[in-house]
Amino acid sequence: MSEWSVAEPRKLTFDAPVTALHVRIVNGTVNVVGTDESSARLEVSEIEGPPLVVTHKDGALTVAYEDLPWKGFLKWLDSKGWRRSAVVSLAVPASTRVEVGVVGANAMVSGIDGGSDVKGVTGDTTLVGVSGPVRATTVSGSVEAQGVSGELKLNSVSGDLTVIEGTCPVVKADSVSGSIILDLNPISGPTDARLTNVSGEIAIRLPHPADAEVEANTASGAVSNAFDDLRVSGQWGAKKITGRLGGGTGRVKATTVSGSIALLRRPPAEDEPWDAPPADRSAGGDTTVSSDRSSNGTTAGPTEQKGL
């Protein structure tokens, strides 16, 4: 086992295989990026308070405080522990299994296909382009998942849960008072989505054409439905939206007690290729933007980690 104590800004490179990553910090920021390289890199650009302990053993890379265990993480509220902060960035092989725990810190995980598990107390969590089993749990911080595939499970107490351009076969989201927003990508296959809330609102945007059995219930909240094939029942108190869209291959079930429920339809135009130029523009029209985008395929975005 190799071990380092990091008490000041520092960069480390790990040539030995990394198959699992465990990060636990208080305050600050954690950025984890999956790459196609075999090595892993760590940069601690800012640190205050006690040192971070970095260990590498049997393929598992850990960056954490000694007094901050993963078990019971969401209940860790030691007042002395708040007097610390770190900004940590890691580049690891995309196949790495990632676990990140943050107290009062923001976490961003992108490009990981080995599965991700993020726990947060008050910090916000962002998941971009991750696949495999993905789980995010938060107390009051928000969770945003963009372009996520694989099974997705989200839990919060008061934090908002947002899924954008999701291509997940399974989505489970539970909240007490935070809102739940689910936007499914048109290219995704059948999705089994189960959303539960108490007082927070639920909004679901389905592809057009949609393919799902739908059941949405609210005990006292308002309902909104953009699909003619779905039936809205109940006028006072409890309301329900039910029905089948398309072949009913997928399943969408949403339940809230006092929050509102909205079923939205993605406009058909969004399924068409964006910014398609007319044929006669090739002679003299300016197509610089379209050409640049197609040649790169991607943009710098959050996966760019300078200094790693």
Side-chain angles (χ1 to χ4, degrees):
M1 182 181 74
S2 300
E3 182 174 314
W4 300 262
S5 178
V6 180
E8 59 185 14
R10 186 175 181 182
K11 297 179 181 180
L12 294 171
T13 299
F14 310 90
D15 294 326
V18 173
T19 57
L21 173 66
H22 310 280
V23 182
R24 299 186 298 275
I25 71 166
V26 177
N27 300 325
T29 304
V30 175
N31 295 305
V32 179
V33 177
T35 71
D36 56 3
E37 300 177 8
S38 59
S39 61
R41 302 186 301 279
L42 163 68
E43 178 180 358
V44 179
S45 56
E46 298 178 20
I47 185 167
E48 297 180 6
L52 285 168
V53 178
V54 180
T55 60
H56 185 270
K57 179 182 180 182
D58 298 331
L61 177 61
T62 301
V63 182
Y65 295 109
E66 288 185 318
D67 59 348
L68 184 58
W70 178 257
K71 187 176 181 179
F73 180 85
L74 297 179
K75 298 179 180 179
W76 192 89
L77 295 172
D78 185 356
S79 60
K80 295 181 180 179
W82 289 87
R83 302 170 187 171
R84 62 182 79 179
S85 176
V87 176
V88 177
S89 299
L90 291 122
V92 297
S95 59
T96 303
R97 171 67 186 176
V98 173
E99 289 184 350
V100 175
V102 288
V103 179
N106 296 326
M108 189 278 290
V109 179
S110 66
I112 296 294
D113 56 33
S116 305
D117 189 352
V118 181
K119 294 181 179 180
V121 178
T122 56
D124 296 335
T125 298
T126 303
L127 306 168
V128 181
V130 297
S131 58
V134 179
R135 180 169 184 174
T137 304
T138 179
V139 177
S140 60
S142 65
V143 177
E144 180 175 317
Q146 181 175 357
V148 173
S149 57
E151 183 174 319
L152 177 63
K153 296 182 179 180
L154 305 177
N155 300 88
S156 81
V157 177
S158 60
D160 296 336
L161 305 176
T162 304
V163 180
I164 302 173
E165 297 285 339
T167 58
C168 314
V170 176
V171 178
K172 295 181 180 180
D174 299 279
S175 182
V176 176
S177 59
S179 64
I180 300 177
I181 299 174
L182 173 61
D183 172 41
L184 295 177
N185 193 301
I187 65 172
S188 65
T191 297
D192 183 357
R194 300 172 186 267
L195 316 178
T196 305
N197 214 330
V198 178
S199 60
E201 66 178 5
I202 296 177
I204 305 170
R205 190 166 80 150
L206 299 174
H208 181 78
D211 183 7
E213 288 281 354
V214 177
E215 180 182 346
N217 304 273
T218 177
S220 59
V223 297
S224 176
N225 171 42
F227 296 90
D228 294 336
D229 294 336
L230 299 181
R231 177 174 177 266
V232 179
S233 58
Q235 296 181 351
W236 305 100
K239 299 180 181 66
K240 179 183 293 187
I241 304 174
T242 56
R244 173 180 293 182
L245 298 174
T249 307
R251 180 176 176 84
V252 174
K253 185 173 183 179
T255 303
T256 179
V257 178
S258 59
S260 62
I261 295 180
L263 293 181
L264 310 174
R265 178 170 54 191
R266 181 186 289 270
E270 293 190 23
D271 292 346
E272 300 297 329
W274 71 279
D275 197 24
D280 59 355
R281 286 184 63 187
S282 59
D286 184 4
T287 58
T288 303
V289 174
S290 299
S291 300
D292 288 346
R293 186 178 181 94
S294 61
S295 61
N296 288 334
T298 59
T299 55
T303 58
E304 181 182 356
Q305 295 293 322
K306 295 182 180 180
L308 287 182

